[in-house]
Amino acid sequence: MKTTKSSNHHSPFPDKKYQIIYADPPWDYKGQRQHNGRGGRETGGAVVHYPTVTTTEMKKWDVSRIADDECLLFMWATSPHLDQAIDLGKAWGFQWATVGFVWNKERVNPGFYTMSQCELCLVFKKNKIPLPRGARNVRQLLVVARNGHSEKPEEVRRRIESMFPHQRKIELFARRKTEGWDVWGLDVDRNTMHSAIHARFDIDTLNSTPALLLRDKRRNIKSHNKSRAIVYR
């Protein structure tokens, strides 16, 4: 699989077309962190775990170049970013379709209004739904206990596979390599680095390459660092 550089200062997307794109964007919370109540201790926040990227910057990424003529985009969105997520999907060349999955995390987070417990995976469409179809009875709701910060249930990927077993698939901002999927992102399991089909990165690269700011807590990359993504298949 070839890679093609983009003019928008992030690492290249594969030079390949996909019918299914699955994405978990590193939403920017403007440095906001979570606390367990007024005067309470800090309990986390995205910026603690990985570098975030503004929606304005992500809109510049030419995701449409890897989308086939008929393609679905499954995108995770936290509740405060729902409007931005819909704008982002449209900026990437898709039409808003529906909510694909509702994840009940079985744990709550503090919020300004109600306590947060669910996260949504949105669906966007480019032209028609890609054929052939697989399972047509896949449930929207899943109840899976939350694991690591921002880590999504494997069950969602399995449900997508059952719905579209024959389509070419890629996961953006992937944490690890998954059989049957191309993956793009920095937080891919380091144990699979020997199979990289794009250039590895090192500290010099992190300090010198204009790039995509993706989650990599292992290297403690700050939001102003510069990095490369890695593409596996």
Side-chain angles (χ1 to χ4, degrees):
M1 180 175 60
K2 299 178 181 179
T3 57
T4 303
K5 290 186 177 180
S6 166
S7 61
N8 289 321
H9 304 296
H10 67 75
S11 298
F13 289 122
D15 188 13
K16 187 176 178 180
K17 300 288 187 180
Y18 299 90
Q19 289 88 43
I20 301 294
I21 299 175
Y22 180 46
D24 183 16
W27 299 108
D28 179 41
Y29 288 84
K30 300 180 180 179
Q32 180 180 340
R33 303 190 181 191
Q34 295 174 345
H35 298 79
N36 61 353
R38 184 181 296 275
R41 67 180 179 85
E42 182 179 297
T43 60
V47 71
V48 175
H49 299 274
Y50 49 81
T52 59
V53 186
T54 66
T55 306
T56 299
E57 181 63 25
M58 288 192 287
K59 284 181 178 181
K60 299 176 184 177
W61 301 347
D62 193 9
V63 174
S64 62
R65 74 185 305 161
I66 64 171
D68 210 343
D69 290 340
E70 296 178 352
C71 179
L72 294 183
L73 167 65
F74 291 83
M75 180 197 295
W76 285 101
T78 58
S79 296
H81 289 95
L82 286 180
D83 61 336
Q84 296 177 48
I86 292 175
D87 286 346
L88 181 60
K90 292 178 178 179
W92 286 353
F94 293 84
Q95 294 177 322
W96 161 248
T98 189
V99 174
F101 300 101
V102 178
W103 173 29
N104 177 356
K105 304 179 182 181
E106 296 191 313
R107 293 176 61 183
V108 297
N109 286 330
F112 290 107
Y113 304 97
T114 58
M115 299 187 75
S116 173
Q117 185 170 339
C118 294
E119 191 165 343
L120 304 180
C121 183
L122 312 181
V123 181
F124 298 83
K125 181 174 64 172
K126 179 181 178 183
N127 296 321
K128 297 180 180 180
I129 297 174
L131 299 176
R133 300 285 295 270
R136 300 291 292 270
N137 61 346
V138 172
R139 297 293 183 92
Q140 182 185 60
L141 177 66
L142 64 155
V143 181
V144 179
R146 189 183 68 190
N147 196 356
H149 181 89
S150 191
E151 186 173 349
K152 302 305 185 290
E154 295 289 335
E155 175 63 18
V156 171
R157 192 184 293 103
R158 288 192 289 266
R159 292 187 187 188
I160 294 173
E161 290 172 350
S162 70
M163 295 165 65
F164 300 99
H166 305 293
Q167 282 75 10
R168 290 189 299 274
K169 307 174 185 69
I170 187 170
E171 180 176 355
L172 305 183
F173 317 105
R175 290 174 175 265
R176 60 185 64 85
K177 179 173 169 55
T178 301
E179 184 176 356
W181 294 70
D182 287 356
V183 293
W184 183 87
L186 277 180
D187 202 21
V188 178
D189 190 341
R190 296 299 185 263
N191 292 330
T192 65
M193 286 190 69
H194 66 277
S195 66
I197 63 168
H198 184 56
R200 299 173 184 236
F201 64 84
D202 53 25
I203 295 300
D204 290 336
T205 303
L206 294 176
N207 291 331
S208 63
T209 307
L212 174 63
L213 304 176
L214 295 179
R215 51 191 67 141
D216 194 341
K217 61 185 177 184
R218 295 184 183 90
R219 288 185 182 268
N220 194 28
I221 303 173
K222 303 300 182 182
S223 61
H224 61 273
N225 286 139
K226 298 175 174 60
S227 55
R228 283 187 184 272
I230 299 177
V231 182
Y232 297 96
R233 69 169 299 176

